[in-house]
Amino acid sequence: MVRGDITAEDVDVVVNAANPGLSGGGGVDGAIHAAAGAAELHAACRLLGGCAVGDAKLTPGFNLRARYIAHAVGPLWRGGDAGEAELLSSCYRRCLALADEVGARSIAFPAISTGVYGYPRRAAALVAVATLRATPAAVEVVRLVAFDDTTAALYRELLAAPAGS
Ligand code: AR6
């Protein structure tokens, strides 16, 4: 894990926390659009025809150091009984699969759904770490990028614990 701004990550694939319309927004989505080149990225996203919750789609990275952006659509938090954990887990799995499809060696994830979408930070970090540990993938480097101290502390704690604990 690292603490910082995901747009600065020197990896093959940067994951975006997008919306089903892939129409851009605030938070990490806004930061990625600004850094990648908003006009080009908007145009590329428009061609994709949206994305289901729990799924992800690739565009080029444009002005980012990353070659690709994986636009993942996390679930909106509705209290936890609406399949949120499975949908969030699916985002991480789909991004790993896309990274493998393009032969990526490295990928960086933001804390999907934990901003505007309201997913509790600890619950989301548990899903992220457990899913990444449990999903076989060819990608060699998987980085969790924390934008705030709380998320950074959670990742440190969970990554220090043995898998399954
Ligand atoms: N680098 C890394 N993490 C960041 C950055 C950054 N530059 N900026 C924010 N975060 P959010 P969501 C963290 O709201 O909850 C958008 O409008 C942030 O602190 O970006 O999945 C989309 O278009 C938080 O922990 O995404 C959707 O409509 C995490 O990224 C909606 O928001 C995710 O926060 C998606 O909501």
Side-chain angles (χ1 to χ4, degrees), residues 4-6 17-19 24-29 31 111-117 121 147:
D5 179 348
I6 202 167
N19 55 62
V28 72
D29 201 358
I112 300 167
S113 285
T114 65
V116 175
Y117 280 2
R121 289 188 185 281
F147 200 56

Side-chain angles (χ1 to χ4, degrees), residues 82-134:
E84 292 95 330
E86 176 49 31
L87 290 166
L88 185 61
S89 178
S90 173
C91 285
Y92 285 89
R93 292 195 302 271
R94 283 291 300 137
C95 289
L96 289 177
L98 289 171
D100 281 358
E101 275 176 29
V102 296
R105 295 180 57 193
S106 53
I107 184 168
F109 288 92
I112 300 167
S113 285
T114 65
V116 175
Y117 280 2
Y119 208 116
R121 289 188 185 281
R122 171 170 286 275
L126 278 163
V127 169
V129 170
T131 302
L132 293 171
R133 278 179 162 162

